[in-house]
Amino acid sequence: MSEGRRRALITGITGQDGSFLAELLLARGYEVWGLIRKASLFNTQRIDHLYQDPHAKDVRLHLRYGDVTDGASLLRLVQEARPDEVYHLAAQSHVQASFQLPELTAEVTGLGTVRLLEALRQAGLAQQARFYQASTSELFGDAATSPQDEETPIRPCSPYGAAKAYAFHIVRTYREAYGMFAVNGILFNHESERRGETFVTRKITRAVGRIACGLQERLYLGNLDAERDWGFAGDYVEAMALMLQAPEPVDLVIATGQRRSVREFAALAFERVGLDWEEHVEIDPRYLRPAEVNTLVGDASRARELLGWRPRLEFEALVARMVDADLALARREAALRP
Ligand code: NAP
Ligand code: GDD
């Protein structure tokens, strides 16, 4: 571990989790290094509020271009940042999209992890840097047992899940082969007002806001019977940080233990603005998947025991928070209309 202020590197810092994690670590006094992709449009909206003038004194947030498909960019970054903690969150993270982009998903979501682990080894940082891998409940696929925990067999049923399964195993392999402090956080679904708009919860709350403001009439969804264990992203990034402070590197499930259907989420979200979801939601078969994970619900007892972690924001409060934020957004959108 290096002297002085702790240094964290976050890949995927521009994503939902990356933005909450950067906030948390900066608030705790860390120096934070973030890998961002070169895009044709700005992609830093979720972290713009954390921006610091790079010429000011005592800058603690450093952003560098790179890509997890470009090993040289990863090596350069870890050599410059010399992190004590690495949070590897970058991924092609959309399950349905992974059926249309299986090869890209394997490259980014699977091989990206081993490229970063190798960059740390090549830079001579394998023993200094603790490594967090953004693993997922999608590893379990349509599991035969419920709830799922650390002993549940890994049997993914999407190209995304298969790529994450490779990443899971390569992290464990590097831990055992090279003695790295490298862990898999097996996180169940977690959401917020910063969630990407094509994931079902945000798709619903965004539509609720727009429908309430008269900007949209209908919401098209796929499988309403799917059940997920939905928590709040702000709570889940705390678990990530705790996993890297633990005395031993241990893979852990992070979940609420509560199972809700897409239908229940939609009903509650529409109810928040006084609307009946059934008058606005229609099924569109384009949102059905070639293979569906019908139900996921996690048992996070081990994380509670080892880390003292527990989720704070309840399901109803999460839905309310997301709807309220998207209603405010839709009102601003409506105000800009001629
Ligand atoms: P997200 O919002 O989709 O963010 C993904 C991040 O990865 C973005 O910053 C994205 O950059 C970056 N990225 C994508 N391709 C990249 C590439 N080739 N090189 C470098 N960066 C790349 O995902 P999230 O919800 O924050 O989730 C964070 C991580 O946790 C992901 O690995 C996800 O698979 C995993 N996970 C999420 C959940 C969940 O419920 N949210 C549950 C379990 C596991 P751009 O902004 O430029 O697109
Ligand atoms: N995206 C989406 N869009 N999903 C829909 C829709 C729709 O219109 N209608 C129904 N669903 C159903 C999906 O079929 C799925 O069963 C469920 O809603 C949740 O879909 P997503 O919100 O896309 O999330 P996910 O569970 O597939 O994947 C998310 O959680 C994983 C953890 O279990 C992602 O964040 C992954 O990156 C993460 O690993």
Side-chain angles (χ1 to χ4, degrees), residues 14-17 37 67-68 89 91 93 160 164 187 190 195:
T14 55
Q16 169 187 254
D17 291 4
R37 284 203 286 181
D67 198 292
V68 299
L89 311 184
S93 73
Y160 167 80
K164 285 283 188 183
L187 272 53
H190 46 278
R195 183 61 141 152

Side-chain angles (χ1 to χ4, degrees), residues 258-277:
Q258 306 275 316
R259 191 175 67 178
R260 310 286 183 144
S261 67
V262 171
R263 182 180 287 99
E264 278 176 272
F265 191 105
L268 206 56
F270 276 92
E271 194 183 300
R272 178 86 183 159
V273 295
L275 294 173
D276 179 354
W277 72 279

Side-chain angles (χ1 to χ4, degrees), residues 93 136-137 160 189 195 198 200 203 222-223 226 228 289 292:
S93 73
T136 163
S137 41
Y160 167 80
N189 299 49
R195 183 61 141 152
T198 59
V200 76
K203 184 172 167 183
N223 179 11
R228 290 291 182 275
R289 297 171 180 189
E292 173 67 303

Side-chain angles (χ1 to χ4, degrees), residues 93-96 136-138 160 164 187-189 191 195 198-201 203 220-224 226-228 230 262 287 289 292-294 296:
S93 73
H94 203 280
V95 174
Q96 190 177 16
T136 163
S137 41
E138 273 289 311
Y160 167 80
K164 285 283 188 183
L187 272 53
F188 283 62
N189 299 49
E191 318 295 314
R195 183 61 141 152
T198 59
F199 296 95
V200 76
T201 57
K203 184 172 167 183
Y220 297 94
L221 295 174
N223 179 11
L224 299 181
E227 294 177 313
R228 290 291 182 275
W230 280 299
V262 171
Y287 297 114
R289 297 171 180 189
E292 173 67 303
V293 171
N294 290 299
L296 282 173

